[in-house]
Amino acid sequence: MIQYIKYHPQFEKQCEKLKKSNDKASKAVENAWNIILAFKKSREGFNTMGTLTRSGELRLKDGIKYKLGNGYRLVLSVRKDCLFVLCIGSHDQCDRWLERNRGEDNFSFSWQEKVVIKRSEKKKFQNPGYYNKESDLFNHIEDRLLRQIFQGICDSIG
């Protein structure tokens, strides 16, 4: 599960350069940020975030390469609880970047963010069907004891 996202120092510069170049490149940057946002929301399942390249990325440890459309690519790496955002650019630009950094493991990162899942508002359960208090399985058990038994559920609700 993704806990942190770390951005390569060149990533922000690459995004700005692409945004200024043309509409197709700007759309690719938007697609890249949507993939990163999807990682933030689900924090897992990298193969469902977007279109992966056919052969993946073997030049980097745990490398992932996404097709962003119109020949643009996004290069990421996922290790343990961290997503590394490494490169965005045309197919050739990403290919050159990958060749220069083949097998590299220790990148410097300009900034990182902690992925925080927002708790949804506490909602009371409302059974739309018929409710009979006498048939309630937990009616005779004290609330304190139920909270102790189901502590994980109670903690996640708030």
Side-chain angles (χ1 to χ4, degrees):
M1 202 167 0
I2 300 297
Q3 300 279 338
Y4 298 95
I5 300 177
K6 296 185 178 188
Y7 297 87
H8 192 276
Q10 295 297 313
F11 181 74
E12 194 171 0
K13 293 174 188 172
Q14 292 166 341
C15 285
E16 290 304 316
K17 188 176 178 181
L18 288 174
K19 281 183 192 177
K20 292 177 183 176
S21 64
N22 62 47
D23 290 339
K24 290 179 181 179
S26 185
K27 180 67 176 160
V29 171
E30 184 181 323
N31 291 344
W33 283 110
N34 286 339
I35 290 170
I36 294 167
L37 182 63
F39 267 103
K40 286 182 190 180
K41 286 184 178 178
S42 78
R43 300 179 1 161
E44 54 189 277
F46 67 87
N47 55 349
T48 62
M49 303 298 180
T51 306
L52 294 170
T53 57
R54 203 171 336 136
S55 58
E57 191 44 61
L58 302 175
R59 291 173 276 192
L60 288 176
K61 182 178 180 181
D62 303 315
I64 306 167
K65 190 166 57 172
Y66 285 99
K67 292 180 185 178
L68 300 175
N70 298 304
Y72 292 96
R73 302 289 187 263
L74 172 66
V75 179
L76 307 172
S77 180
V78 177
R79 284 182 237 148
K80 294 184 181 178
D81 63 347
C82 195
L83 171 69
F84 299 96
V85 181
L86 301 171
C87 179
I88 185 172
S90 69
H91 180 273
D92 292 340
Q93 289 168 330
C94 287
D95 196 52
R96 283 191 299 274
W97 187 93
L98 286 163
E99 282 301 320
R100 280 193 311 270
N101 296 285
R102 180 185 285 271
E104 184 68 39
D105 208 7
N106 293 326
F107 294 104
S108 61
F109 295 97
S110 57
W111 53 288
Q112 78 173 21
E113 61 181 305
K114 182 162 175 53
V115 177
V116 179
I117 296 208
K118 296 178 183 175
R119 288 185 171 180
S120 59
E121 292 181 23
K122 186 177 177 182
K123 296 179 183 176
K124 291 192 175 193
F125 175 74
Q126 295 178 349
N127 186 353
Y130 176 75
Y131 176 72
N132 181 355
K133 191 169 184 166
E134 284 75 35
S135 68
D136 188 359
L137 294 174
F138 301 110
N139 190 26
H140 64 283
I141 302 174
E142 293 178 30
D143 189 46
R144 177 189 55 78
L145 185 59
L146 284 173
R147 287 189 176 277
Q148 190 175 10
I149 293 169
F150 298 105
Q151 183 177 2
I153 296 171
C154 293
D155 288 346
S156 70
I157 294 173

